[in-house]
Amino acid sequence: MLNNLSEIKDVSWEEAFDNWKSREMNPICRDDWIEVATKIKGWPDWESWRTYSANQFDAKNRKWKKFLINDPDTIIPNFQVGPFSGWQKDLPKTNTYTFKELIDLKPEYQTHSRILKILENFPQPTEIIGAYIPEKNRIVCLEGSHRCAAIALAQHFNKNIIWTVKPAIVLTEFKQGEAEILDSILKTGSSNPNAI
């Protein structure tokens, strides 16, 4: 899978996190992430919520590289769905399926309003955060699930996204056996454990 990526540069986690925040404040992607963080997940703000999630995979102590995705319509649907309860719910097996498989397994994603909204007006340029799992030769999506699902849905419907610029991915590589972190992240979730 990595041979379909073109390396751009090393990036710090701080830069990746700042870009993540900018994306989630973009109404095309979703305009209520702050409300999710504070009212649903029980955090005081967006930064606390997303930092808690990032700490579960030790993001700040990992090496990160930014790549261009050369064939996004083919590659991105084959990214593994990230370890998040909303995406993993009701799947036959957790932390296993690609976005392409998710669209086939759960037809409700074919009419999902947020995914369709992104598909109709795909944000460009765009950047995803992921981890490469060497033993599976697979990339798991750690941020950008709705956009990955929209690209998989486009492929499912034989639609073309007109790319004005190739999407990018900020990627870390898990060591052998580290994929077990995904099960731990899914079990822990992202709600504030100290919220009443």
Side-chain angles (χ1 to χ4, degrees), residues 56-57 80-84 95-96 131 133 136 140-142 174 178-188:
Q56 291 182 55
F57 55 90
Q80 184 174 306
V81 177
F84 314 111
N95 291 321
T96 301
I133 305 171
K136 289 186 173 183
V140 60
C141 177
L142 299 174
F174 281 178
E178 262 194 316
E180 293 173 5
I181 293 170
L182 301 175
D183 294 327
S184 173
I185 294 170
L186 180 59
K187 184 177 179 184
T188 301

Side-chain angles (χ1 to χ4, degrees), residues 6 13 16 28 32 45 50 59-60 65 91 96 116 125 129 131 138 140 158 172:
S6 296
W13 175 247
I28 292 172
D32 60 352
D45 50 43
R50 291 313 202 184
K60 65 183 178 184
K65 289 183 181 288
L91 288 173
T96 301
L116 289 171
I129 299 174
R138 182 178 275 182
V140 60
N158 293 315
T172 191

Side-chain angles (χ1 to χ4, degrees), residues 66-119:
K66 185 173 180 176
F67 298 85
L68 278 183
I69 303 171
N70 293 317
D71 186 7
D73 301 304
T74 302
I75 300 307
I76 292 175
N78 288 300
F79 285 179
Q80 184 174 306
V81 177
F84 314 111
S85 58
W87 292 94
Q88 298 285 340
K89 188 173 76 173
D90 301 327
L91 288 173
K93 198 171 176 188
T94 56
N95 291 321
T96 301
Y97 297 102
T98 65
F99 284 95
K100 180 179 181 178
E101 292 166 333
L102 178 77
I103 296 295
D104 292 335
L105 282 166
K106 297 185 77 176
E108 62 265 34
Y109 282 109
Q110 297 172 24
T111 57
H112 190 284
S113 61
R114 288 192 182 115
I115 295 170
L116 289 171
K117 179 181 175 185
I118 293 170
L119 182 55

Side-chain angles (χ1 to χ4, degrees), residues 12-95:
S12 67
W13 175 247
E14 291 73 23
E15 180 183 345
F17 191 80
D18 286 346
N19 290 339
W20 182 5
K21 182 177 182 180
S22 295
R23 286 189 297 278
E24 293 213 332
M25 300 304 120
N26 179 345
I28 292 172
C29 290
R30 184 169 176 173
D31 52 11
D32 60 352
W33 284 122
I34 294 171
E35 184 175 324
V36 171
T38 58
K39 294 185 179 171
I40 297 172
K41 299 294 186 175
W43 294 99
D45 50 43
W46 181 92
E47 289 83 356
S48 300
W49 174 41
R50 291 313 202 184
T51 297
Y52 180 77
S53 295
N55 287 344
Q56 291 182 55
F57 55 90
D58 198 24
K60 65 183 178 184
N61 292 315
R62 291 184 176 277
K63 290 183 180 175
W64 297 90
K65 289 183 181 288
K66 185 173 180 176
F67 298 85
L68 278 183
I69 303 171
N70 293 317
D71 186 7
D73 301 304
T74 302
I75 300 307
I76 292 175
N78 288 300
F79 285 179
Q80 184 174 306
V81 177
F84 314 111
S85 58
W87 292 94
Q88 298 285 340
K89 188 173 76 173
D90 301 327
L91 288 173
K93 198 171 176 188
T94 56
N95 291 321

Side-chain angles (χ1 to χ4, degrees), residues 155-167:
Q155 184 188 60
H156 179 83
F157 286 134
N158 293 315
K159 287 179 131 185
N160 290 322
I161 294 172
I162 307 303
W163 297 104
T164 57
V165 59
K166 290 177 184 173

